[in-house]
Amino acid sequence: MAETVLTNTGLDSFLDGAPERRDPVFVRAAEAVLGLLALRGADRESGVPEPTPGLVRQLLVEDLPTFVYAPPGTLAAYPAVVGRLAARFDGERGQRVAVAIGETAGDFERAMTDPGNLTWHRWYASLLRTCGADLADPEDVRRRLAALDGAPLPDGVHRADLMGRTALADVLLSEALTRAYVRDAEAPPAAGPLLTDHAVATGIAQVAAALQDRWTAAGLAEQLAGPYARFAPGPDAFPHLVLADALLDEHLDHYGDVALPVPPPPAVEAGPFEEDADALIAAVEELTEEEFEPYGGEAPHLLYVVYRRGCSAESVARKAAEYEDWAVDPDLEDVPVPVPAEASPGPYATPPLPELVRLVGTAELTEADRARLEGPARDLAVVVDRLAATGLVFRAGDAFGLTPRGAGVVRYLLGVRGVAAPDVTEVTGWSAPDVVAAAGGWPASVASCVLTDWLHARGDGSDAWSQLLAALGTVHAGTSDAAAVRGLFAALDTSTAPPDALRGALRDPVVGAYAHQALRGRGEPSDLIQVRISARALFLLDALPAKQGPLESRRTAFDTAAASWPGGSAALVRAMAAADRHETERVLGPLGLVPH
């Protein structure tokens, strides 16, 4: 029982005054609630742990969903225990706790039922109860566990997810127990210590296991650590998580946030993800050997880059040029790479000069430059070919990428580290602002395909187009990302847009001029008078050469636009800055045109 592990929690005193003391569900909830509050340092001077709003939020949203299994229909008992406990304290303290309970009730239920919060212990307790096990009887738990060989996983959850959550729970519980023991030793509480010296002498891990048993299923921790350890594999069973960490680092380097999604692959082939991922990490680790220098260590980067391209093919030569510090035109980084029909990679050869120029965007390249790139490109092709030996990557001529099965593996690896990696079905189900916010950070060709699919899923109707156009003008408005979102207009095939949707966008203060231009391009009437000054200024701003090239060309383009702007260049700069100061400073700042 938890009260014999955590002493002096005030459980007996609390139950003596509770009419539900004979309800086993309430008693089980009380044991967990009082024990966790005490572990977290709640004041026990009155004989029971005193809840505070902060402790209540941590208990309901973090601790209970991490350590405790609550059968369906019993969740309400836990907030009820906290409420009954708070009622023992007079005045404002109890009221503030009651407010905290109400504010976190919804989050508590979501957290307790979220598959992403499951540990091995909570999951197996759930399965055992479904099988009719008496969770308080260790022998029944052992017997039922034996019958669960090959037990299924929760929908959408991988073994690595459960392992990771379990490892985290073990650390958190051990840390809480250690802190509680030290705290009581340094300042002995009047109520008495939570942990006896004898309990601590047996080891914090043993104490934690005893609590896990009481809060999930009796004897379960011992079984999962012993005869049924294969049911709950630990980190050693997942060597591919090293690659998952490397892909996470790549994502954070690029996006800075796991919640910002990578594009969906067009096709994912479901396979034995863990086995394939183990094969992939074996290849990645082999590539770190000296014989694969200088690019062997770039394998995780290559995998991530191709996935981020929506799994469209990349060019060996273009990547080699980047590694050799060639000035690759940023506008061409995402230019599609043709994939030869030849399935076999064959000996590598750098593309002909015209194709190389198309890929890197440097017109002055010569055959001598191409010859200089041959060696680095061959070295990089060797790395790609080793990855291709897994069947998860392909190379055909200069093109390389992920196979559908490889796309599934990389998506799995990103997912187990919490990176948002949706599939096509998920993305087409998003709202217009959500899909626009994500697509603004994707390569233009990928964004175009995704937005087209999003519109097709809604029948390409006027309402869908209007929602999307409105989102282009509102998502990330006023931020440094606003220009990238506006740029998505160019990714849309407006030749198929319903005319009324485009006309409805004419007065949009951001994309109105884009809509006007699209209508004129289709040969349809459009009244420029309806287009606001801000939208006209943004259209001109976005058309200026801003990424590379001599500043003289940018200045010439600006002067040409300003020549027909009412009030001239000063008025145009003011209009641009008022509409998007971030982009105006980035584009016109180097020309000394931005007012201070």
Side-chain angles (χ1 to χ4, degrees), residues 346-398:
Y348 181 79
T350 306
L353 189 59
E355 174 65 5
L356 193 58
V357 169
R358 186 187 77 85
L359 290 170
V360 303
T362 306
E364 296 80 13
L365 289 178
T366 66
E367 284 293 345
D369 295 319
R370 177 177 175 271
R372 268 200 317 276
L373 190 63
E374 185 79 24
R378 284 185 184 277
D379 290 340
L380 187 57
V382 169
V383 173
V384 172
D385 289 348
R386 174 62 188 93
L387 295 173
T390 64
L392 307 172
V393 172
F394 73 87
R395 182 177 70 80
D398 182 57

Side-chain angles (χ1 to χ4, degrees), residues 25 77 89 96 118 170 229 402 494 526 585:
V25 170
F89 298 92
R96 287 190 292 114
L118 286 172
D170 290 345
L402 292 166
T494 53
S526 178
E585 290 177 349

Side-chain angles (χ1 to χ4, degrees), residues 270-288:
F273 292 132
E274 290 183 15
E275 291 85 346
D276 283 345
D278 286 343
L280 198 53
I281 185 56
V284 169
E285 290 179 342
E286 180 184 333
L287 286 168
T288 61

Side-chain angles (χ1 to χ4, degrees), residues 153-422:
L153 292 174
D155 289 342
V157 176
H158 299 287
R159 294 197 316 158
D161 299 321
L162 286 164
M163 181 280 296
R165 185 70 181 173
T166 302
L168 176 63
D170 290 345
V171 170
L172 293 176
L173 186 53
S174 294
E175 287 180 348
L177 287 164
T178 302
R179 283 196 298 268
Y181 180 73
V182 172
R183 187 172 56 241
D184 287 354
E186 292 177 343
L194 282 176
L195 296 166
T196 65
D197 291 338
H198 174 72
V200 174
T202 65
I204 290 295
Q206 293 296 322
V207 177
L211 286 173
Q212 285 177 326
D213 279 359
R214 183 64 193 96
W215 294 339
T216 56
L220 181 58
E222 180 181 0
Q223 296 297 325
L224 293 182
Y228 296 99
R230 67 186 185 280
F231 284 10
D236 291 345
F238 301 88
H240 56 262
L241 292 183
V242 174
L243 180 54
D245 289 334
L247 293 172
L248 170 62
D249 289 342
E250 291 287 339
H251 184 80
L252 292 177
D253 285 345
H254 195 89
Y255 288 103
D257 188 346
V258 295
L260 295 178
V262 283
V268 172
E269 181 181 323
F273 292 132
E274 290 183 15
E275 291 85 346
D276 283 345
D278 286 343
L280 198 53
I281 185 56
V284 169
E285 290 179 342
E286 180 184 333
L287 286 168
T288 61
E289 298 175 3
E290 185 175 350
E291 64 182 287
F292 292 104
E293 290 183 351
Y295 303 124
E298 297 296 328
H301 175 71
L302 297 174
L303 294 169
Y304 180 81
V305 162
V306 175
Y307 192 92
R308 188 192 161 266
R309 289 171 60 84
C311 294
S312 63
E314 175 59 289
S315 161
V316 172
R318 183 162 60 196
K319 289 305 295 181
E322 291 176 4
Y323 286 133
E324 292 298 299
D325 294 327
W326 285 25
V328 177
D329 187 343
D331 286 331
L332 300 180
E333 289 176 350
D334 301 316
V335 165
V337 177
V339 180
E342 175 66 41
S344 172
Y348 181 79
T350 306
L353 189 59
E355 174 65 5
L356 193 58
V357 169
R358 186 187 77 85
L359 290 170
V360 303
T362 306
E364 296 80 13
L365 289 178
T366 66
E367 284 293 345
D369 295 319
R370 177 177 175 271
R372 268 200 317 276
L373 190 63
E374 185 79 24
R378 284 185 184 277
D379 290 340
L380 187 57
V382 169
V383 173
V384 172
D385 289 348
R386 174 62 188 93
L387 295 173
T390 64
L392 307 172
V393 172
F394 73 87
R395 182 177 70 80
D398 182 57
F400 74 96
L402 292 166
T403 65
R405 193 166 137 198
V409 174
V410 174
R411 181 171 181 257
Y412 157 75
L413 289 168
L414 291 167
V416 297
R417 283 301 181 246
V419 175

